[in-house]
Amino acid sequence: MNNLIKLVFVLILFPSTIIAQVSKENYTYHIDLLHVSNDEVTVSFTPPKNNLTQGKFIIPKLVPGFYQAMNFGQYVSNLVATDKKGKKILTERLDKNSWMVHDLKHVNKISYQVADGWDSLEKDTHEAKSAGSTFIKDSVFVINYNSLVGYFEEMKDIPYQINITKNKDFYASSALDYKQKDKNTDIVWAKDYRQLVDSPVLYCVPDTTWLKIGHTEVLVSFYNKKERHYSKKIALELENILKNQQAYLGGSLPVKKYAFLIYYESANEKGFMGDGLEHSHSTVCLYRSGSMNFIPFALNRVASHEFFHIITPLNIHSGEIQHYDFLNPTLSKHLWLYEGMTEYSTIHMPIKQKMISLEDFEKTLEEKIKGMKEFDNTLSFTEISKNAMERQDQYMNFYQKGPLLGMCLDIRLRELSGGKMGTQDLMLQLMKKYGEGKYFNDDELFDEITKMTFPEIRTFFRDFIEGTQPVPLKEYLAKVGFTYDETTGKVSLSSNPDSKQLALRNAWIGQ
């Protein structure tokens, strides 16, 4: 989808169950970025020690948040297993994304080739390129490990050691800490597959800038074939956003290190395309356009939205995400929270922090209202969420109707609390309750939020998120001294707001 920022999230966690006879030794991987042929890299690994007669090796079929089968296994070919003497051991390809490896306890090495998922942003596909990888020899490698590295279904929660052979001048930009073993070899550790896949890396000759926002270190890494030394300009733009997000989130950012990995491809045509994928400690942004001038503007929205994903679903999420199944996932019904509330924070923060004018804020609301009208708004948001793979035609409404529901929820909370509590406070409370390593029951979240807030909030969820009643824009905007013309879609300040409206508006947007 050109001219559309694809906002997706990745959070991969596995159940804690481990087969009894499996040792807790690590996967040892070798990835060769130096000897690339036909846009393919060679990958090999030694499985953890085990006593298994066979094992199912998996490359992800899809990643959370995209809701379409991406089949990363399609890029894998020539998978061969050998014992210590180099003798081949039988393997069977079960489908696009899985292989059965026989006599696994005697397997010493498994090797295969991986083709890149995209070699140019010019080619229009429905896949989110930022979830895949590209290999441009001697130039750049954008690596999402879900397209190169797999796991055995019988051996999940086990550490990974990744050895990367690469150009001596290349630098690894990532939220993980890469160590230089020698001039052509880097080594990195991940505590499990979740952390590895949650940590993409950009390999190229470095153009990097570091920021310090409170206690958080922020890496900005940029690649373009011709342009150099551009990361500093981007970092200056991001610094303002992050400082305001820090204030919006109560004075501190909830991570110690964060990485923005930005790939830019020049084009002759007008317009631009953007593809963004966020992780718990990093964001990958891919851009293509005829001019670099738009990048700071584009990053304002994308970086802000992606960074807010640190709150949800990366810290606040259900068991469906905590125990994500890469082949046959059970989806959560709370995309209104994961994407809708994230996008609401993205549009609410600039006006609350006085980064934009009231007129700009009104235009943003009008754009969301117009966008919402392009979808079927008689459908239940929770039902669309549970069936997001089948209802891709409605998915983007989570970025249109979703933030409008978030706005109404915010106004309602502030009304019921006399201005003392809004969605900012609610999200921080939820993060304390369901922080890292914890999760909520999908069917209990609305009741839990009601316990944390007010009985009337359960009615809000029942009517507008579980139910199919129209978003009460006119009624709720009137509470804060705005008028909404349902015929024209125009949002504007009321001419004569009363003191109650002014007080609630001030609590809501600080003006």
Side-chain angles (χ1 to χ4, degrees):
M1 288 181 285
N2 286 336
N3 304 321
L4 178 64
I5 303 299
K6 298 169 189 167
L7 304 168
V8 292
F9 69 85
V10 171
L11 181 69
I12 299 100
L13 300 107
F14 288 99
S16 58
T17 305
I18 300 174
I19 305 301
Q21 70 265 35
V22 175
S23 165
K24 285 281 287 187
E25 293 195 19
N26 58 275
Y27 290 88
T28 302
Y29 261 84
H30 295 268
I31 300 174
D32 189 348
L33 305 183
L34 194 57
H35 305 94
V36 178
S37 178
N38 298 320
D39 294 333
E40 290 187 336
V41 302
T42 299
V43 177
S44 62
F45 74 97
T46 301
K49 287 186 178 180
N50 64 88
N51 295 313
L52 299 171
T53 56
Q54 63 181 20
K56 185 177 181 180
F57 180 67
I58 295 170
I59 297 287
K61 177 180 178 179
L62 67 170
V63 291
F66 192 63
Y67 305 104
Q68 283 186 353
M70 301 182 75
N71 296 312
F72 293 105
Q74 69 180 299
Y75 306 112
V76 175
S77 62
N78 303 321
L79 186 142
V80 176
T82 56
D83 63 16
K84 288 184 178 179
K85 295 183 179 180
K87 183 180 178 181
K88 287 187 178 181
I89 292 177
L90 179 64
T91 64
E92 299 174 76
R93 188 160 196 164
L94 304 177
D95 51 40
K96 285 184 179 180
N97 305 290
S98 62
W99 294 254
M100 185 61 69
V101 179
H102 294 265
D103 198 16
L104 185 56
K105 63 184 176 182
H106 289 125
V107 171
N108 179 60
K109 185 173 81 169
I110 296 174
S111 62
Y112 49 88
Q113 274 70 51
V114 179
D116 61 6
W118 53 274
D119 56 8
S120 172
L121 300 179
E122 181 179 13
K123 297 177 182 178
D124 184 31
T125 66
H126 294 293
E127 286 78 20
K129 294 182 173 68
S130 53
S133 299
T134 191
F135 318 131
I136 304 176
K137 186 178 181 180
D138 300 326
S139 295
V140 63
F141 295 83
V142 178
I143 294 175
N144 280 285
Y145 283 106
N146 47 268
S147 62
L148 283 91
V149 173
Y151 63 94
F152 280 99
E153 190 173 55
E154 299 80 4
M155 298 184 284
K156 293 180 177 178
D157 291 339
I158 295 177
Y160 280 73
Q161 178 186 326
I162 310 293
N163 299 274
I164 307 283
T165 303
K166 49 85 179 183
N167 185 308
K168 65 181 177 63
D169 296 321
F170 279 12
Y171 172 77
S173 295
S174 174
L176 289 180
D177 293 321
Y178 283 68
K179 306 296 182 183
Q180 190 174 44
K181 187 176 180 180
D182 56 54
K183 67 179 183 178
N184 287 117
T185 309
D186 285 349
I187 186 169
V188 66
W189 283 82
K191 64 181 180 180
D192 52 26
Y193 192 70
R194 165 216 170 183
Q195 186 184 38
L196 181 68
V197 176
D198 194 33
S199 306
V201 58
L202 173 64
Y203 259 108
C204 60
V205 175
D207 177 5
T208 59
T209 299
W210 285 89
L211 297 171
K212 185 79 170 179
I213 311 294
H215 68 274
T216 303
E217 291 186 329
V218 179
L219 169 64
V220 180
S221 184
F222 178 82
Y223 172 82
N224 175 250
K225 186 175 182 180
K226 296 180 180 179
E227 183 70 30
R228 304 293 302 154
H229 311 298
Y230 197 72
S231 65
K232 186 174 182 179
K233 181 176 182 179
I234 295 173
L236 289 174
E237 295 288 334
L238 290 174
E239 184 173 26
N240 181 50
I241 297 170
L242 294 175
K243 284 183 176 179
N244 279 286
Q245 284 184 309
Q246 178 181 243
Y248 186 82
L249 293 173
S252 64
L253 299 175
V255 288
K256 292 183 178 179
K257 181 182 178 181
Y258 198 87
F260 288 96
L261 313 180
I262 303 161
Y263 170 97
Y264 174 76
E265 187 176 290
S266 302
N268 294 323
E269 65 267 19
K270 294 180 180 180
F272 71 90
M273 71 83 61
D275 191 346
L277 179 98
E278 93 289 343
H279 303 262
S280 57
H281 291 81
S282 58
T283 293
V284 174
C285 295
L286 310 178
Y287 295 114
R288 175 182 172 85
S289 78
S291 171
M292 294 178 66
N293 294 333
F294 88 96
I295 292 181
F297 170 77
L299 276 171
N300 275 343
R301 287 298 298 274
V302 175
S304 181
H305 180 102
E306 307 299 1
F307 198 87
F308 271 127
H309 270 305
I310 291 175
I311 306 299
T312 179
L314 301 172
N315 268 289
I316 308 167
H317 55 262
S318 69
E320 284 75 6
I321 294 175
Q322 181 88 0
H323 305 303
Y324 190 82
D325 184 337
F326 281 96
L327 294 179
N328 298 291
T330 300
L331 302 184
S332 168
K333 63 183 180 183
H334 294 296
L335 272 171
W336 72 271
L337 174 71
Y338 307 145
E339 295 298 344
M341 286 303 302
T342 298
E343 181 65 6
Y344 174 63
S345 296
T346 304
I347 67 174
H348 182 241
M349 185 270 287
I351 187 66
K352 189 70 182 289
Q353 297 302 124
K354 297 180 173 58
M355 299 172 67
I356 61 173
S357 67
L358 275 171
E359 291 77 11
D360 287 336
F361 182 59
E362 290 166 354
K363 288 178 182 177
T364 298
L365 294 180
E366 290 168 0
E367 289 170 1
K368 294 298 182 185
I369 294 168
K370 182 180 179 181
M372 175 181 67
K373 291 179 179 179
E374 296 178 6
F375 298 92
D376 185 349
N377 292 288
T378 65
L379 301 173
S380 162
F381 246 28
T382 52
E383 288 302 311
I384 298 173
S385 185
K386 286 292 289 184
N387 299 283
M389 290 186 69
E390 293 77 24
R391 295 312 308 260
Q392 276 289 295
D393 61 318
Q394 299 299 316
Y395 174 72
M396 292 306 295
N397 204 15
F398 285 104
Y399 303 96
Q400 308 298 329
K401 181 180 177 180
L404 296 173
L405 285 169
M407 177 190 72
C408 291
L409 177 61
D410 194 3
I411 292 171
R412 184 63 170 142
L413 284 171
R414 293 177 193 278
E415 179 185 34
L416 292 169
S417 66
K420 294 179 180 179
M421 180 187 187
T423 52
Q424 285 171 268
D425 311 278
L426 173 61
M427 300 305 279
L428 292 175
Q429 288 184 32
L430 287 170
M431 191 164 61
K432 287 180 181 178
K433 186 178 179 75
Y434 305 110
E436 187 175 355
K438 301 177 184 178
Y439 59 91
F440 57 79
N441 184 308
D442 215 54
D443 292 328
E444 296 175 359
L445 180 63
F446 291 135
D447 292 330
E448 290 298 318
I449 292 177
T450 301
K451 291 176 186 176
M452 299 166 69
T453 57
F454 305 94
E456 294 88 344
I457 293 302
R458 190 65 185 86
T459 303
F460 181 93
F461 291 136
R462 183 197 66 203
D463 292 346
F464 307 118
I465 299 179
E466 293 175 295
T468 59
Q469 292 190 26
V471 184
L473 291 171
K474 190 177 185 71
E475 175 189 355
Y476 277 63
L477 283 170
K479 293 176 186 290
V480 288
F482 282 86
T483 61
Y484 167 56
D485 188 320
E486 294 176 318
T487 302
T488 65
K490 181 72 175 175
V491 176
S492 56
L493 284 175
S494 302
S495 56
N496 294 300
D498 59 31
S499 58
K500 185 177 180 180
Q501 290 172 310
L502 289 172
L504 191 56
R505 187 169 76 205
N506 185 63
W508 175 44
I509 58 173
Q511 51 188 293

